[in-house]
Amino acid sequence: MTTRNDLGSSGSADPTLRRGLGLLEVVVYGVGLILGAGIYAILGEATAVAGTAVPVSFVLAAVVASFTGLSYAELASRFPKGEGDYVYVREATGSKRLAEVVAFLRVFVGAVSAAAVALAFGGYLTAFTQTPVAVVGVGLVVVASAINFWGIETSVRLNVVFTAVEVAGLVVVIWLGGGALGRLPALETPAGVTGVLEATFLVFFAYLGFGSMVTVAEETEDPTRTIPRAIVVAVGITTVLYVLVAVAAVAVVDWRVLGASASPLALVAETGGDPTLGTVVGAVALTSTANTVLILLVSTSRLVYGVSKSEYRSFPAVFSRVHRTRRTPYLSVALVGGVTVPFVLIGDLGAVASVANAALLVVFVVVNAALVKLRYDAPRAHEGFTAPLTVGRFSLTAIAGVVTSFGLLVVYLWNLL
């Protein structure tokens, strides 16, 4: 028997997204999304400006990410919807227009971030073939979009395998660096504190994945509990890995050489081990970055799907259509893949990642502010996760998220001048 909730506006049965993700799957989804967008993709760019202090930049970025991550965890508990940021801002401010601006920025960030990681994939592939980086990146986006269309279960199964491989690659780098810790180089920063802060802005790209975890809420079992827990666990795991790998990298390879490399972790493995090990880690990096492109496209297409629903009517309703056989938002998948390709063709990883970061920090400022307002407007609206460090209704972590996100944005804008 078909219930009212199963009917579309036309009165015929409408397919819906399939709920099949538990805590483990969402944690692995988040870890895979965060890792590939970060240490494999941006370590070289960050080291070039921070020198041997790049581990400090990762710690600072982790602090900023943690404040905002706690806000996302509470908001996801209050509103377990795949539209994520859009819903949070609309519920807090009552402004559909502001929520639409945030949703647009989120889609922009997703597409640009996928492009940046696709370029990192191309950079690692140059160790194996001379195919132009941009061409390789475009090919990866096309293949990942096809997998995204095929189904969430396929995407998540691949993510579990790929994440295990990329964590193993990082463990190898940490192990290689362990033998070199006794000869850690002296603190050397080519641009002083300014360089460390600039690198902090760059490596913040390494944490962008936690904000996208909320977009699979409608494909997650018990999302009110599962999504907040998964965000906290994923940020914790990746922070530990990031800092250890950054320390190992500058212990093994001179920071100038590392900063100039298009495949930094493969270089660390080759220098600390042998060429064969470097090739293996390079192959792992390909797996990691490919996985991240896939998950970024999945999360961004789910956001487009959600905001296009008839209950919001913010994006064209056509993008809320779900394929009857594959049960995926196929037109949203096609849109996100198509928007990503032009950014891949830019070909400059650092520039693309910086643009993604700037837009993301604007979103984070607004989302943290939304939680501050909701704490006063609806203090007892939910019984799920609540961010710690609360004074009355005042969220200290959310305010810290506003201040630190805005501060990193100022660093970026200052460096443009």
Side-chain angles (χ1 to χ4, degrees):
M1 179 177 179
T2 303
T3 66
R4 180 181 177 83
N5 289 333
D6 296 323
L7 298 177
S9 59
S10 64
S12 58
D14 251 357
T16 57
L17 300 180
R18 182 179 289 115
R19 290 190 185 273
L21 308 181
L23 178 61
L24 176 62
E25 289 87 355
V26 180
V27 168
V28 174
Y29 172 88
V31 170
L33 182 56
I34 297 170
L35 286 183
I39 203 78
Y40 283 97
I42 208 69
L43 177 62
E45 299 275 348
T47 303
V49 294
T52 57
V54 71
V56 177
S57 296
F58 273 99
V59 171
L60 292 175
V63 171
V64 178
S66 297
F67 291 141
T68 303
L70 290 170
S71 293
Y72 268 97
E74 179 170 334
L75 289 165
S77 183
R78 285 174 176 256
F79 311 106
K81 290 180 171 288
E83 298 82 16
D85 313 69
Y86 174 88
V87 172
Y88 310 154
V89 174
R90 187 164 175 174
E91 290 288 340
T93 66
S95 171
K96 180 181 179 183
R97 292 291 172 246
L98 180 57
E100 287 172 344
V101 170
V102 169
F104 174 82
L105 284 174
R106 250 305 179 182
V107 173
F108 176 79
V109 168
V112 176
S113 300
V117 181
L119 287 171
F121 176 90
Y124 277 100
L125 194 63
T126 57
F128 302 95
T129 176
Q130 296 304 309
T131 306
V133 170
V135 173
V136 172
V138 170
L140 175 60
V141 170
V142 171
V143 172
S145 295
I147 297 171
N148 186 9
F149 162 74
W150 193 252
I152 189 67
E153 289 91 348
T154 301
S155 300
V156 170
R157 288 191 193 105
L158 285 173
N159 181 47
V160 169
V161 174
F162 288 172
T163 299
V165 172
E166 65 193 70
V167 169
L170 296 182
V171 170
V172 169
V173 172
I174 293 168
W175 172 70
L176 290 172
L181 291 181
R183 54 181 189 275
L184 269 173
L187 192 64
E188 187 177 355
T189 56
V193 174
T194 301
V196 174
L197 292 177
E198 184 181 347
T200 300
F201 170 80
L202 279 173
V203 301
F204 192 72
F205 182 75
Y207 292 95
L208 64 86
F210 71 82
S212 299
M213 292 172 67
V214 300
T215 60
V216 294
E218 293 180 44
E219 292 162 286
T220 300
E221 299 168 357
D222 192 13
T224 300
R225 293 178 177 273
T226 301
I227 298 294
R229 292 175 181 175
I231 290 173
V232 172
V233 173
V235 171
I237 291 172
T238 52
T239 296
V240 171
L241 288 171
Y242 280 161
V243 174
L244 291 176
V245 168
V247 170
V250 295
V252 173
V253 181
D254 180 87
W255 69 267
R256 298 170 189 80
V257 179
L258 189 67
S261 175
S263 51
L265 292 189
L267 176 62
V268 172
E270 182 176 344
T271 304
D274 56 52
T276 300
L277 192 56
T279 300
V280 170
V281 172
V284 170
L286 287 173
T287 301
S288 174
T289 48
N291 179 46
T292 301
V293 170
L294 169 61
I295 303 304
L296 280 168
L297 294 178
V298 169
S299 62
T300 307
S301 64
R302 291 335 185 249
L303 174 59
V304 173
Y305 159 79
V307 179
S308 303
K309 291 177 182 175
S310 59
E311 62 186 287
Y312 303 120
R313 297 185 182 279
S314 287
F315 287 6
V318 67
F319 294 114
S320 67
R321 293 181 182 175
V322 176
H323 195 274
R324 290 189 175 276
T325 303
R326 302 313 320 163
R327 301 279 292 276
T328 53
Y330 62 105
L331 294 178
S332 293
V333 169
L335 174 69
V336 172
V339 171
T340 300
V341 168
F343 292 105
V344 177
L345 296 175
I346 292 174
D348 186 332
L349 171 59
V352 174
S354 294
V355 170
N357 268 357
L360 185 65
L361 286 166
V362 172
V363 172
F364 284 176
V365 169
V366 176
V367 168
N368 279 298
L371 178 58
V372 173
K373 188 172 188 302
L374 283 167
R375 283 286 191 91
Y376 282 88
D377 293 346
R380 297 182 179 84
H382 81 302
E383 298 179 354
F385 178 86
T386 299
L389 300 180
T390 297
V391 177
R393 298 180 184 180
F394 193 74
S395 172
L396 294 178
T397 56
I399 288 297
V402 171
V403 173
T404 53
S405 296
F406 184 75
L408 278 185
L409 185 60
V410 170
V411 169
Y412 170 68
L413 296 175
W414 180 267
N415 285 326
L416 287 182
L417 299 177

